[in-house]
Amino acid sequence: MFNQTCYELGSNRSCIRELFEYGRSRAAIVGPENVFDYSLGNPSIPAPPQVEQAIRDILTDMDPMAVHGYTSAVGDLAARQAIAEDLNERYAAGVRAEDLFIGCGAAPELVAAFRALAVPGAEILAVAPYFPEYKPFVECAGAALKVVPPDVPGFQIRLEAVEAMLTPNTVAVILNSPNNPAGTVYTRQTLEKLAALLQRKSEEFDHPIFIVADEPYRELVYGGVEVPFIPNIYPNTVVCYSYSKSLSLPGERIGYVYVPQQAAEHDRLYAAIAGAARAAGHVCAPSLWQKVIARCAKLRPDLESYDRNRRALYDGLTALGYEVAKPDGAFYLFVKAPGGDANAFSEKAKQNDLLVVPGDGFGCPGYFRVCYCVSHDMIIRSLPVFGELI
Ligand code: PLP
């Protein structure tokens, strides 16, 4: 006898993974150059060279027992201080080391945040399109996930829909900006209006409604578009950050949770997040990588190749007649499916060895996602296939 929920989560592969595996099997048959795989958001630029240098320096300079030993459960002080310094330089946010919990990437950090907030009967809102893993994360935390319908075609936030869905049971709203899958960035104006709404409703319900800001793509933004630092707009925010995409380190499992000093019941909230991570067995993030972050927290990715891909795909697809959400950030394009049925389009594309992900799983039917963290050459070669499909 096994836990049925866990069994189902473990035995059903996500649609994205299915497509990715399919792509691999097709590549073995027709050759990798003939498969146009836009399914998976795996960074395609290497980590900055300073990361490798930092690893070498750490292994040379430091006592191996310190490098590979357990760290403090909430993370090394040096890493937390380096992150705080970086955030304060960029956002004047008043971040202290004791507001930071070093986590094993955004996924377990989100799980910890949801578990910390999930009082009995709790409801958590996600704004569509949203990262599909929120559903198991929230539900296994014991809360209910409620999906705010998408704001088509601009993919900001439908505030009137949020307002209608807020109840006395709402404990949090999840935001992901820059957004996976839409590539859009929530504007300061959108965030300020949402903050005012949440503040008003928090007072009405007599408890804080938190924003959980899922931010693995914070640094991936193009054309000078502003990514507002949400805690500066709404202090009852828990930031879940990751170096998976910003430093191209998804396999290393490193990031942090930030609980602003001004957040309601800061110390209890921080302790609840640390406790939730403890209960999930996710304390003491990889030690070597904490040492790397202590030295590399101020590094930013070189976005040149993503930006080049973004422009080539956006220009190429719009010239072909596709309707594409304006992609300001992350490495995704969200495209309206010709004919309106994204599953049918994705299936037809698959028959042409072009792999795109239907938007249904992101809470946004009728659109499909294209990950442009791929080779530029593949983009150019795939455009005629997109042309045939439309
Ligand atoms: N949140 C979003 C929106 C993502 O796209 C991803 C990964 O693709 C994650 C969270 C998980 O990130 P991590 O690799 O840091 O766990």
Side-chain angles (χ1 to χ4, degrees), residues 41 104-108 110 131 134 176 180 214 216-217 242 244-245 250 253 332:
C104 306
L110 290 164
F131 183 51
Y134 296 156
N176 168 227
N180 172 11
D214 176 20
Y217 303 98
S242 163
S244 292
K245 319 285 172 165
R253 314 312 302 144
Y332 307 104

Side-chain angles (χ1 to χ4, degrees), residues 69-76 101-104 108-109 112 253-254 270-287 290:
Y70 287 122
T71 68
S72 146
V74 298
D76 268 346
F101 176 93
I102 309 288
C104 306
E109 293 159 9
R253 314 312 302 144
I254 192 82
Y270 183 93
I273 289 170
R278 177 183 171 194
H282 270 297
V283 291
C284 182
S287 171
Q290 293 195 46

